[in-house]
Amino acid sequence: MQRHQYDVVIVGAGGAGMRAALESSKRTRTAVLTKLYPTRSHTGAAQGGMCAALANVEEDNWEWHTFDTVKGGDFLVDQDAAEVMCREAVDAVLDLEKMGLPFNRTAEGKIDQRFFGGHTRNHGEAVVRRSCFAADRTGHMILQTLYQQCIKQNVEFFNEFYVLDLLMVAGKATGVVAYELATGELHIFSAKSIVFASGGFGKVFRTTSNAHTLTGDGMGIVWRKGLPLEDMEFFQFHPTGLAGLGVLLSEAARGEGGILRNKDNERFMERYAPTVKDLAPRDMVARAMANEVREGRGCGPDGAYVMLDLTHLEPAHIDAKLPDITEFARTYLGVEPYTEQIPVFPTAHYAMGGIPTNIRGEALANNDDVIPGLYAAGEVACVSVHGANRLGTNSLLDINVFGRRAGIAAAEYAETAEFEELPERPEEFVVELVEGLRNATGSERVAAIRADLQATMDLNAQVYRTEGSLKQALVDIEALKSRFANVAVQDKGKRFNTDLLEAVELGFLIDLAEVLVVSALERKESRGGHFREDYDKRDDVNFMRHTMAYREVDAEGNVNIRLDYKPVVQTRYKPMERKY
Amino acid sequence: MDVKVKILRYNPEVTEDAEWVTYAVTLQPTDRVLDALHKIKWEQDGTLTFRRSCAHGVCGSDAMRINGRNRLACKTLIKDLNPDREITVEPIKGLPVLKDLVVDMEPFFDAYRSVMPFLVTDGHEPSRERIQSQADRERFDDTTKCILCAACTTSCPVFWSDGQYFGPQAIVGAHRFIFDSRDEGTEQRLEILNDKEGVWRCRTTFNCTDACPRGIEVTKAIQEVKRALIFRRV
Ligand SMILES: Cc1cc2nc3c(=O)[nH]c(=O)nc-3n(C[C@H](O)[C@H](O)[C@H](O)COP(=O)(O)OP(=O)(O)OC[C@H]3O[C@@H](n4cnc5c(N)ncnc54)[C@H](O)[C@@H]3O)c2cc1C
Ligand code: SF4
Ligand code: FES
């Protein structure tokens, strides 16, 4: 076992983690711990763009962007946070350009901008070109650019280190315990500030655009500490995943003119969102697609998907603006997008919920109190700027704005704080977790349990939910928990034991699936990404509030989930019906 | 369909020698080699070890030698491999193997980091964005696509035989900035590439271009850097 001491420890090297590291390492001694090599992080998969009201191609301002964010989030957005994000968006984009990000350019050589779902001019009048982009690999360019800056600034990385526990003393965050993949050795990091930037948990679903490694470790770790998770029932299903695979085709495809069609070749979005049609917010489009399929207007032999039509676009335009996603269609489905429509179906995409934070990135212990020394940013966090449904391009924005803010806040706190004494045996929990799994002799396999978890989540907690389906999911999760207690890994070694770590990750997924379902069951309304067929209207009287879930252990050692609520911060915008 | 996958296994915790092990798996023709590896790991032998994350060719984790050619396992479909024959999978060559298909990536990333792969500018920062024409932006588009997967570098015979040569990827990484009209670090970068272990070691065998899963014209990029060195301008 090795011990280290840093002023700031950042967990995760995606966009949020590296943006935080660039700030914090300028000010204090910083370590970045990441289970993947930084450039493997899933930020690199982001395609479409990052919105900011630069007004490079048409009139725009950040207040309109704020309004769209609040409305898109079905008014569950904390409006103070959305204002901060949309105001700082302009500098966030310009900062990236100065770091070298190769944005697409206008004819005058300025950063080019394009349409994206839910982004409008003057409070919904018409769609507006607000998304800054680099072809359909904006996330790739952001990840590369931030990593390049980290090289320039000599940021210290611990690559392929899995953080598995957070150390707390008297309510303060004081360090983390990490498992080194190459050797199986444990490392104790003592720190004054810890920033979680460990990404989402899309792998609770089977059909997902998320990487295999997006298993919600950061949320799972703080959850096991008894700290709250906010709005976990809100998960975004992106309309256009490649049918059967879940691989994402960016909304940019529709931003550039792509059209969704059913088996009668009808442009069905005209019926669901007459003004913005195919560019309505994701939750609406995803539900419309699922509804077309349910009502028998789906395509393919089983009528299981709808079609994305790009055939009316010029091939040269497709090549210039959508090269990667059209290649995905060719590689994985053998479809030629110049001449053929592409089979698509909603795919689990983005966690709106997560570790509650304030606008400085400080993590919250309850509705009001911050946890000294603990920060979170990016998909792992819930500020909440996305509310019940995130607008496209607002996550790349979120990771840059709040990654930066969390990095600054963590470093500033570290400059004034002292290192705390660590607990007696800080590694104890992780030793038990890891050795327990390594030495287990049960008969269950990790992959089988994970597949069953994902199947029940896809079936019961996806685009359409009911009390019955959610209760079924809970029953299934309960059964999977007992099976997980009887799991065994085959690899008993120390070196690159990915078998063992998949088991650890599955543990996090099961915990988070349960929080999601319990939160969804209690939200007896439909709002944004959470749609209850048995309560199909938004209910502002009873549910205009954030869910706060806590893990509690009673005297007999039973674990229970307690739900509490937190008011939504409203500044300028009063809730109205979300019509497009 | 039933497919046989022959994998070069190595785990120094167990034995010093690498050995070929063949697995039988049932797959769809449209499955990826990564799906085959997962099926083996998840259903037959949990000790099989490889890196992967995104599963659709954008993160660069899973470059390996498949039927003797460097490719991404997640971008290689079974039907494109002549699945009637055994499919062979082994680690990429020229980097130390740590376990099964996992190699030590540090020398590769060291080479990348050595070419100053970041924008270098001096003078005042403009308050808005730097202006760049569409043509200037297009000039280096190809090399911005690199996902640092190492397929190119580990297919290069010079890299295999010469422990010092920093390999094609590092030149791609440098090219991306040398031909960026906003960059002012070209002189320094060209000096690094002009080293005796630098670009001049390239023998133009085109293996790298063939290997690149992003379709980057690696050899062309190297040629452009050589030309820039000869004429000292880009
Ligand atoms: C296919 C796709 C396309 C998208 N397109 C867009 C888009 O166009 N616009 C937009 O705004 N958003 C988009 N998004 C969403 C956006 O990309 C993500 O939400 C965002 O990039 C998340 O960034 P992050 O830094 O929070 O996490 P990630 O980039 O996922 O990084 C997580 C980091 O945490 C590390 N980590 C995780 N667990 C541990 C652990 N236990 N120990 C140590 N390290 C750990 C990982 O190694 C990784 O470095 C897209 C998402 C997907 C999946
Ligand atoms: S140039 Fe191509 S093959 Fe080489 S590392 Fe980059 S993406 Fe991989
Ligand atoms: S798993 Fe990401 S490139 Fe293959």
Side-chain angles (χ1 to χ4, degrees):
Chain A
M1 199 174 60
Q2 295 185 34
R3 283 175 181 266
H4 313 259
Q5 195 174 63
Y6 285 86
D7 291 321
V8 177
V9 162
I10 296 172
V11 183
M18 290 202 283
R19 192 66 190 80
L22 287 175
E23 296 304 327
S24 136
S25 68
K26 274 199 288 224
R27 296 170 170 87
T28 53
R29 206 160 155 263
T30 301
V32 182
L33 277 50
T34 169
K35 73 177 182 181
L36 302 172
Y37 270 87
T39 56
R40 314 294 184 222
S41 305
H42 212 54
T43 292
Q47 302 166 353
M50 167 167 168
C51 267
L54 296 182
N56 274 3
V57 293
E58 59 182 306
E59 187 189 358
D60 199 5
N61 73 55
W62 66 263
E63 189 272 318
W64 297 349
H65 186 183
T66 311
F67 171 81
D68 291 335
T69 301
V70 171
K71 181 178 169 197
D74 225 348
F75 296 90
L76 199 70
V77 171
D78 285 331
Q79 297 183 11
D80 56 340
E83 278 172 33
V84 163
M85 181 174 81
C86 298
R87 190 160 11 100
E88 293 182 8
V90 175
D91 278 335
V93 167
L94 295 178
D95 282 350
L96 286 169
E97 196 283 329
K98 285 169 197 164
M99 290 178 198
L101 197 138
F103 284 107
N104 277 42
R105 300 287 170 156
T106 63
E108 303 84 58
K110 293 197 253 177
I111 295 171
D112 199 5
Q113 301 191 271
R114 69 176 164 205
F115 296 122
F116 232 84
H119 290 276
T120 70
R121 171 203 340 210
N122 196 15
H123 315 100
E125 239 172 54
V127 289
V128 75
R129 276 168 289 211
R130 185 178 288 148
S131 168
C132 310
F133 63 99
D136 55 356
R137 10 179 198 268
T138 315
H140 165 75
M141 300 297 193
I142 289 178
L143 192 69
Q144 297 291 328
T145 302
L146 292 175
Y147 181 59
Q148 290 156 359
Q149 289 298 307
C150 286
I151 294 175
K152 187 174 182 184
Q153 222 172 284
N154 270 318
V155 172
E156 214 175 319
F157 287 101
F158 290 81
N159 295 330
E160 303 195 313
F161 273 55
Y162 284 65
V163 171
L164 298 181
D165 193 20
L166 166 68
L167 301 173
M168 307 263 302
V169 176
K172 285 188 186 177
T174 56
V176 296
V177 183
Y179 175 102
E180 184 180 359
L181 182 64
T183 60
E185 198 177 4
L186 295 188
H187 295 253
I188 315 282
F189 286 82
S190 154
K192 295 177 187 169
S193 310
I194 294 132
V195 183
F196 272 93
S198 50
F201 66 108
K203 277 288 153 180
V204 291
F205 295 96
R206 192 181 72 82
T207 308
T208 175
S209 64
N210 282 199
H212 285 287
T213 46
L214 286 174
T215 49
D217 307 4
M219 296 179 203
I221 289 167
V222 305
W223 175 248
R224 288 175 185 177
K225 288 281 152 188
L227 298 172
L229 291 177
E230 181 174 349
D231 288 345
M232 293 293 280
E233 64 272 39
F234 293 103
F235 209 96
Q236 177 169 86
F237 300 90
H238 192 294
T240 51
L242 283 185
L245 285 171
V247 172
L248 194 78
L249 301 184
S250 169
E251 198 169 297
R254 283 169 289 136
E256 296 292 349
I259 291 171
L260 291 165
R261 300 189 185 280
N262 60 20
K263 77 162 197 250
D264 307 320
N265 213 32
E266 181 203 6
R267 182 178 195 179
F268 58 85
M269 281 313 297
E270 283 177 335
R271 267 187 282 124
Y272 296 88
T275 320
V276 291
K277 303 186 183 85
D278 297 275
L279 286 175
R282 291 178 178 172
D283 58 308
M284 291 185 166
V285 182
R287 270 196 306 279
M289 291 167 66
N291 195 51
E292 289 300 297
V293 165
R294 278 207 307 196
E295 294 185 351
R297 291 187 295 277
C299 311
D302 306 319
Y305 47 79
V306 300
M307 291 301 198
L308 175 66
D309 185 1
L310 306 177
T311 57
H312 54 292
L313 304 180
E314 282 298 317
H317 184 71
I318 293 181
D319 290 347
K321 299 292 177 65
L322 309 167
D324 278 11
I325 62 172
T326 43
E327 192 191 313
F328 297 152
R330 287 183 197 111
T331 308
Y332 296 113
L333 294 184
V335 168
E336 176 45 68
Y338 295 157
T339 53
E340 294 171 282
Q341 302 182 357
I342 311 165
V344 288
F345 198 70
T347 180
H349 186 54
Y350 184 84
M352 269 76 75
I355 303 172
T357 72
N358 61 22
I359 54 176
R360 286 166 44 83
E362 296 169 312
L364 302 175
N366 50 47
N367 286 5
D368 306 303
D369 301 310
V370 303
I371 303 157
L374 192 63
Y375 302 79
E379 195 168 335
V380 71
C382 179
V383 188
S384 138
V385 283
H386 309 305
N389 170 57
R390 170 175 75 79
L391 283 194
T393 73
N394 269 357
S395 173
L396 291 178
L397 179 56
D398 173 5
I399 63 180
N400 277 287
V401 168
F402 291 102
R404 173 175 170 277
R405 284 178 156 252
I408 293 173
E412 283 176 352
Y413 176 77
E415 280 167 346
T416 59
E418 297 297 324
F419 285 105
E420 297 284 334
E421 201 66 40
L422 290 184
E424 187 71 27
R425 286 188 55 226
E427 73 284 8
E428 195 170 1
F429 174 80
V430 176
V431 171
E432 269 173 34
L433 173 75
V434 169
E435 293 313 316
L437 284 167
R438 199 198 306 271
N439 300 323
T441 52
S443 56
E444 288 283 353
R445 274 181 175 267
V446 169
I449 299 175
R450 186 176 49 215
D452 289 348
L453 176 72
Q454 294 170 338
T456 184
M457 292 300 283
D458 266 21
L459 190 63
N460 296 310
Q462 222 224 22
V463 182
Y464 288 106
R465 300 167 173 174
T466 65
E467 172 152 344
S469 76
L470 292 166
K471 285 204 164 137
Q472 182 58 49
L474 265 193
V475 170
D476 293 344
I477 292 169
E478 213 40 60
L480 291 167
K481 282 204 268 182
S482 358
R483 284 174 60 191
F484 187 62
N486 186 33
V487 82
V489 300
Q490 289 186 308
D491 195 336
K492 309 289 183 193
K494 294 273 185 198
R495 209 177 163 88
F496 285 94
N497 192 339
T498 52
D499 197 24
L500 178 71
L501 285 155
E502 280 192 38
V504 173
E505 292 172 333
L506 174 61
F508 292 131
L509 288 177
I510 295 175
D511 282 2
L512 297 174
E514 188 178 13
V515 188
L516 187 159
V517 172
V518 168
S519 305
L521 206 45
E522 286 311 308
R523 188 173 281 278
K524 298 185 170 122
E525 66 156 352
S526 290
R527 184 187 294 272
H530 170 72
F531 192 84
R532 289 278 304 254
E533 288 185 87
D534 39 359
Y535 301 93
D536 63 358
K537 294 273 168 335
R538 196 173 82 196
D539 174 359
D540 288 340
V541 177
N542 295 302
F543 291 102
M544 174 59 90
R545 56 188 194 180
H546 299 290
T547 305
M548 298 282 277
Y550 296 83
R551 180 181 187 268
E552 289 185 339
V553 188
D554 66 17
E556 281 92 62
N558 299 315
V559 176
N560 295 308
I561 296 178
R562 177 173 67 84
L563 296 186
D564 195 4
Y565 295 93
K566 191 171 89 169
V568 174
V569 180
Q570 293 184 21
T571 56
R572 309 172 191 233
Y573 310 109
K574 294 279 159 284
M576 53 152 127
E577 200 194 336
R578 205 169 49 123
K579 275 210 294 241
Y580 286 91
Chain B
M1 57 168 41
D2 293 324
V3 179
K4 287 211 160 46
V5 185
K6 189 169 117 182
I7 304 173
L8 191 59
R9 302 286 314 262
Y10 169 69
N11 182 359
E13 272 186 303
V14 180
T15 141
E16 272 311 307
D17 302 312
E19 56 166 353
W20 288 99
V21 181
T22 303
Y23 300 86
V25 245
T26 307
L27 297 164
Q28 302 292 324
T30 50
D31 278 339
R32 304 157 261 196
V33 170
L34 181 62
D35 297 314
L37 296 176
H38 271 146
K39 273 199 122 179
I40 295 166
K41 182 177 181 70
W42 292 343
E43 292 166 15
Q44 302 184 31
D45 185 350
T47 67
L48 177 65
T49 304
F50 48 91
R51 293 189 177 102
R52 51 72 176 130
S53 184
C54 73
H56 64 285
V58 295
C59 78
S61 296
D62 59 344
M64 43 190 88
R65 243 170 114 80
I66 299 168
N67 284 357
R69 250 192 72 189
N70 281 2
R71 318 175 198 238
L72 297 176
C74 65
K75 232 186 149 177
T76 308
L77 269 50
I78 300 295
K79 67 178 168 61
D80 299 331
L81 283 176
N82 187 9
D84 303 337
R85 307 251 310 270
E86 228 170 31
I87 296 170
T88 63
V89 182
E90 55 194 308
I92 43 179
K93 277 170 68 172
L95 293 167
V97 182
L98 300 175
K99 182 179 175 185
D100 293 342
L101 303 169
V102 175
V103 300
D104 182 2
M105 294 296 287
E106 281 308 315
F108 171 79
F109 277 102
D110 280 343
Y112 175 62
R113 287 187 287 253
S114 74
V115 299
M116 304 172 58
F118 40 78
L119 192 74
V120 176
T121 56
D122 41 44
H124 283 303
E125 288 223 319
S127 57
R128 290 287 296 195
E129 68 262 49
R130 291 190 175 76
I131 298 297
Q132 181 169 55
S133 74
Q134 290 176 343
D136 283 346
R137 166 66 181 78
E138 190 53 32
R139 183 68 190 85
F140 64 102
D141 189 60
D142 203 34
T143 44
T144 63
K145 294 188 287 195
C146 175
I147 54 174
L148 293 158
C149 71
C152 54
T153 296
T154 59
S155 70
C156 172
V158 183
F159 180 77
W160 295 336
S161 61
D162 176 345
Q164 302 298 311
Y165 175 49
F166 50 38
Q169 194 289 323
I171 307 174
V172 166
H175 179 282
R176 180 250 168 274
F177 289 99
I178 292 173
F179 292 91
D180 185 335
S181 58
R182 300 169 297 173
D183 185 80
E184 290 162 284
T186 298
E187 276 304 310
Q188 269 170 289
R189 232 178 258 113
L190 285 178
E191 223 30 72
I192 298 169
L193 294 166
N194 198 22
D195 188 272
K196 67 177 188 327
E197 299 293 348
V199 281
W200 305 114
R201 303 299 317 259
C202 168
R203 293 280 167 272
T204 326
T205 50
F206 281 95
N207 284 20
C208 49
T209 303
D210 289 341
C212 180
R214 301 288 286 166
I216 298 170
E217 295 182 89
V218 182
T219 314
K220 183 173 162 213
I222 297 175
Q223 292 303 102
E224 288 178 352
V225 169
K226 285 182 179 170
R227 209 171 314 127
L229 267 171
I230 294 168
F231 299 110
R232 282 288 160 171
R233 68 187 152 84
V234 296

